[in-house]
Amino acid sequence: SADWSYEEAEALGQALEKFPPNTLCRWRLIYEFFCEKCPSSHHEKLLHMAKLMPTQWCTIAPIVGRTAAQCLERYEYLLDQAQCRREDLNENNDDPRTLRPGEIDPNPETKPARPDPIDMDEDELEIEKQLEEARRLAALQKRRELRATDIEVRRYHSRKRDVNYNVEIPFQKLPAIGFYDTTNEEFDPEKVDLRRLRQDNVNSIQKEENEQQPIRKRSKLVLSAPQISDIKLEQVVKLGQATEIAKQQVTETGTPATETLLGDYNLTPDLRTLSTIGATPGITPVRDRLNINAEDGLFDGQMKQIESIGLFTMPKERVAKKSRIHKDVQKQGINFNKDFGQHILKNPLIITSMIDKSAIRPTDIVLEVGPGTGNLTVKLLEKAKKVVAYEIDPRLVAELQKRVQGTPFQSKLDIVIGDILKSDLPFFDLCVANLPYQISSPFVFKLLLHRPMFRCAIVLFQREFAQRLVAKPGEKLYCRLSVNTQLLAKVDHLMKVGKNNFRPPPKVESSVVRIEPKNPPPAVNYQEWDGLTRICFTRKNKLLVSEFKQKKVVALLEKNYRIHCSLNNKTITNDFDTKAKVEEILEQSGFAKKRARQMDMDDFLGLLHAFNSEGIHFC
């Protein structure tokens, strides 16, 4: 470059050989060192651009050919020189940009970095050591001069945490300042008992040693199993008593021969004589299981013989019957009667699910059968306008009234004491109930035949009964209940309920069923329909021809046919055969070879229409 001289290039080469090329700070030091010698034309250009674009050093730097930091530093340097000329100061000695003692450099990142000791050679390391030693000697000389002028310089050292026992006494308690008056003290030398003090000291030391020793737990006392049970021991005592009674009778009669046959159970046999029987002296012989069983059988035979004589009668032990009352029920003081089917639903999640599926409106009147303690009733009262509850047990009625007494629900609850099957149902919109299982079938048909019709019923039934309600033709549980219920309503199975969700738990599983009556109801005489299905499902797997050939069925149909003819002024011929008439109707309608378990609703309606059109009725 034209701006560089030969000496400058030589100095640059020596610097590159001295410092590693990968050290950025070294390159920056050399670069900035030689950038100091830039011509005056560059200074004028820099000042002109700074006047046109003040503080825009990123824009000025590429124009001048330097970096933004170099442009800013050079601009400040030129301003400092101009200030020195204005104040008539020496530019070289009194540089205003040089730091005075105690000042902090505001821009340390713009200054060249000091060399690292790792990159130094031996000469430079030696120079650094000499400088460090010079600083230490200067600090030492300064402290000596201050000490000579009576200025003490304290040197702070890190304080150790341990106690120096040569300087201080641990837990030292200094006496109070001043004289202590001992005139009020009473001292009796005769009462001083040094032996007692010594003994107390010994006891305290022993107590501390005992506390330090680990406490040993006593091992369990392991005893061998008894060779004879308590029951047999009682029998031995009773046998001895019976022997004493027999001895008294023998002594009264005076027959010594009989007296020798009776054993004496009051004396304990000599163990030394028994020990001689075994192979090893002092050890009782081990009896095998056959001998033990034989001796037990002989003992039982002797007891039976004594009882047969009439000398002694063995009392029979009475075994206490296990209570079937639930533990929680015993705590409450209520004994649920299973004859009424009292199984209280205790799971709140199932209760909430039943209420959600019933879709209760604020204007609905809800019918509940068997409220029990009111777990379901309270939830119904929160959403319904009124709840009519039928309960047959007066104890649970009192419990339910006590539960809602003093609450806003008291006016919304109407409790009827009595049997639901013997009572007339009131008007209601919904029926939500945990029904007693023994009244399931009659209650369902009483509910479906009730007028005016209700909107929906969510009822908890036994699992098998619920499966019969929703069974389809061809299924195993398809029966007369399925046909009669599905004629009048739409039945859906909602969820299964385990027996552990009740208190006390029943012996069977349960299910929740939704019953929606068909509105309008089908135009069918229900009594006629029920009579037909009763005959068809007597044996649902047999052919209908075989079902209608039974004598009782033929007699019933003939009786109903004659009543129908008499009411309608029809004459019956003498050779009229009811059995042949029924077979003819079945053949013409095509139901002769069908079975009841495979027939759906339309098939039964067609069969009923075929019989009624010929004047044969079932009620």
Side-chain angles (χ1 to χ4, degrees):
S1 173
D3 298 334
W4 288 56
S5 62
Y6 177 79
E7 291 80 11
E8 293 172 349
E10 188 68 22
L12 178 61
Q14 293 178 1
L16 290 176
E17 292 177 359
K18 183 177 181 181
F19 299 102
N22 58 350
T23 306
L24 181 61
C25 61
R26 302 294 176 261
W27 280 96
R28 185 176 180 183
L29 174 63
I30 299 166
Y31 183 72
E32 291 182 353
F33 176 78
F34 289 105
C35 284
E36 292 287 339
K37 300 180 180 180
C38 49
S40 58
S41 60
H42 288 192
H43 294 171
E44 295 176 358
K45 187 176 182 180
L46 177 63
L47 294 173
H48 180 68
M49 297 301 298
K51 186 177 181 180
L52 295 177
M53 295 177 288
T55 68
Q56 298 182 13
W57 302 111
C58 294
T59 307
I60 297 172
I63 299 174
V64 180
R66 307 290 181 181
T67 62
Q70 291 173 351
C71 293
L72 176 60
E73 187 176 359
R74 179 63 61 177
Y75 180 72
E76 292 177 353
Y77 178 74
L78 294 175
L79 293 179
D80 293 339
Q81 284 186 343
Q83 183 180 0
C84 291
R85 294 193 202 99
R86 192 180 303 110
E87 296 177 358
D88 297 332
L89 296 176
N90 189 359
E91 298 180 4
N92 297 326
N93 297 333
D94 298 330
D95 189 358
R97 297 180 68 250
T98 56
L99 297 177
R100 295 180 177 84
E103 292 183 351
I104 300 175
D105 190 1
N107 299 317
E109 63 274 3
T110 60
K111 302 297 184 293
R114 296 178 60 186
D116 296 332
I118 300 176
D119 301 330
M120 294 181 182
D121 54 8
E122 295 180 357
D123 297 338
E124 292 177 343
L125 290 174
E126 187 66 25
I127 293 172
E128 288 292 332
K129 289 181 181 179
Q130 292 178 2
L131 291 175
E132 188 68 26
E133 185 67 18
R135 293 192 199 96
R136 189 184 67 81
L137 293 175
L140 180 61
Q141 182 65 24
K142 184 177 181 180
R143 286 197 300 272
R144 288 177 179 176
E145 292 176 355
L146 292 174
R147 195 178 297 112
T149 57
D150 296 335
I151 299 175
E152 184 66 26
V153 179
R154 298 181 61 183
R155 302 182 65 182
Y156 295 94
H157 301 281
S158 60
R159 187 175 181 181
K160 296 182 180 180
R161 294 185 179 180
D162 53 350
V163 180
N164 188 2
Y165 293 99
N166 296 325
V167 178
E168 57 180 321
I169 301 173
F171 307 106
Q172 182 184 10
K173 191 173 183 181
L174 298 176
I177 300 174
F179 296 99
Y180 181 71
D181 189 8
T182 59
T183 55
N184 297 327
E185 291 185 356
E186 296 180 359
F187 176 72
D188 189 1
E190 296 180 357
K191 292 184 179 180
V192 178
D193 189 2
L194 299 179
R195 296 179 182 178
R196 182 180 178 184
L197 295 175
R198 184 178 180 185
Q199 186 65 28
D200 293 342
N201 189 16
V202 171
N203 293 336
S204 62
I205 294 173
Q206 290 179 354
K207 185 177 180 181
E208 292 177 358
E209 292 179 354
N210 294 334
E211 290 178 354
Q212 292 177 0
Q213 292 180 358
I215 300 173
R216 296 181 180 178
K217 294 184 178 180
R218 290 185 178 181
S219 59
K220 295 182 179 180
L221 183 61
V222 181
L223 299 177
S224 59
Q227 297 181 358
I228 183 170
S229 61
D230 296 339
I231 299 174
K232 290 186 177 181
L233 191 61
E234 292 177 0
Q235 292 177 355
V236 169
V237 175
K238 294 171 183 177
L239 183 60
Q241 294 176 358
T243 307
E244 291 295 329
I245 296 171
K247 277 188 175 183
Q248 291 178 4
Q249 294 179 358
V250 169
T251 52
E252 291 176 359
T253 55
T255 55
T258 308
E259 187 177 357
T260 56
L261 297 176
L262 297 174
D264 190 2
Y265 290 92
N266 293 329
L267 300 177
T268 304
D270 192 0
L271 297 177
R272 290 176 296 179
T273 59
L274 293 175
S275 62
T276 56
I277 301 174
T280 305
I283 301 176
T284 57
V286 180
R287 300 183 299 169
D288 57 355
R289 189 174 298 277
L290 294 176
N291 292 335
I292 294 173
N293 295 336
E295 292 178 4
D296 293 342
L298 181 61
F299 179 78
D300 295 338
Q302 292 176 356
M303 293 300 298
K304 291 180 180 179
Q305 185 177 3
I306 292 172
E307 291 180 4
S308 62
I309 296 172
L311 298 177
F312 186 78
T313 304
M314 294 291 293
K316 295 183 179 180
E317 297 182 359
R318 295 183 179 180
V319 181
K321 295 183 179 180
K322 294 183 179 179
S323 177
R324 296 183 179 179
I325 303 173
H326 200 266
K327 293 181 180 179
D328 296 340
V329 178
Q330 288 180 348
K331 293 179 182 179
Q332 293 180 359
I334 301 175
N335 298 334
F336 292 121
N337 190 355
K338 291 188 177 181
D339 295 337
F340 293 153
Q342 293 176 351
H343 299 283
I344 308 301
L345 183 61
K346 65 178 182 179
N347 193 339
L349 298 178
I350 296 176
I351 294 174
T352 305
S353 179
M354 290 177 62
I355 293 176
D356 293 341
K357 294 180 184 301
S358 60
I360 302 176
R361 301 171 185 172
T363 58
D364 287 342
I365 299 175
V366 181
L367 173 67
E368 185 184 8
V369 180
T373 57
N375 295 338
L376 179 60
T377 311
V378 174
K379 296 293 183 180
L380 292 173
L381 291 171
E382 294 177 358
K383 293 192 174 184
K385 177 183 178 182
K386 183 180 179 182
V387 176
V388 181
Y390 279 80
E391 179 58 57
I392 197 172
D393 194 347
R395 300 175 305 154
L396 297 181
V397 171
E399 189 72 21
L400 182 58
Q401 289 177 346
K402 188 189 303 181
R403 186 166 184 175
V404 299
Q405 188 176 6
T407 62
F409 303 143
Q410 186 176 2
S411 59
K412 299 168 63 176
L413 179 61
D414 185 9
I415 304 176
V416 180
I417 304 175
D419 190 357
I420 185 67
L421 299 179
K422 299 178 182 179
S423 305
D424 295 332
L425 296 180
F427 171 79
F428 62 94
D429 300 300
L430 292 172
C431 177
V432 183
N434 174 21
L435 197 69
Y437 294 159
Q438 59 265 30
I439 64 170
S440 298
S441 182
F443 176 75
V444 167
F445 292 108
K446 184 180 180 68
L447 201 65
L448 293 176
L449 297 176
H450 173 66
R451 297 294 180 272
M453 300 181 67
F454 59 95
R455 187 170 74 248
C456 177
I458 305 294
V459 189
L460 187 62
F461 292 114
Q462 183 181 342
R463 178 75 55 81
E464 184 179 356
F465 184 83
Q467 291 175 350
R468 291 180 184 274
L469 288 177
V470 299
K472 301 299 179 184
E475 295 182 0
K476 183 179 180 180
L477 296 177
Y478 187 66
C479 60
R480 185 170 67 95
L481 176 66
S482 310
V483 177
N484 292 347
T485 307
Q486 294 174 17
L487 173 71
L488 302 175
K490 179 184 177 183
V491 187
D492 296 320
H493 184 277
L494 298 182
M495 61 179 174
K496 298 179 180 179
V497 181
K499 55 186 176 182
N500 293 326
N501 296 304
F502 298 88
R503 189 185 71 231
K507 296 181 180 180
V508 294
E509 303 292 335
S510 306
S511 293
V512 179
V513 176
R514 177 171 55 206
I515 302 174
E516 297 180 8
K518 295 180 180 179
N519 193 8
V524 178
N525 188 351
Y526 182 74
Q527 294 180 353
E528 288 279 338
W529 174 272
D530 185 59
L532 173 63
T533 56
R534 190 184 298 273
I535 295 172
C536 294
F537 282 96
T538 303
R539 294 180 180 178
K540 63 180 181 179
N541 293 324
K542 294 187 68 175
L543 298 175
L544 291 182
V545 178
S546 302
E547 292 288 345
F548 282 92
K549 283 183 179 180
Q550 297 179 14
K551 293 181 180 180
K552 293 183 179 180
V553 176
V554 173
L556 176 63
L557 296 180
E558 184 177 358
K559 178 182 177 181
N560 293 338
Y561 181 73
R562 291 184 181 278
I563 294 173
H564 173 73
C565 291
S566 63
L567 293 175
N568 294 305
N569 297 324
K570 291 183 179 181
T571 58
I572 302 174
T573 59
N574 295 329
D575 58 348
F576 178 76
D577 189 3
T578 307
K579 185 176 181 180
K581 182 69 173 177
V582 171
E583 291 180 1
E584 182 183 356
I585 295 173
L586 291 174
E587 291 292 340
Q588 291 178 358
S589 59
F591 293 104
K593 301 299 181 181
K594 287 191 176 182
R595 292 176 172 83
R597 64 180 179 86
Q598 297 176 346
M599 297 173 62
D600 57 2
M601 199 74 57
D602 297 334
D603 294 337
F604 284 108
L605 289 173
L607 181 61
L608 180 62
H609 178 70
F611 277 108
N612 290 341
S613 61
E614 296 294 334
I616 297 178
H617 297 271
F618 298 92
C619 64

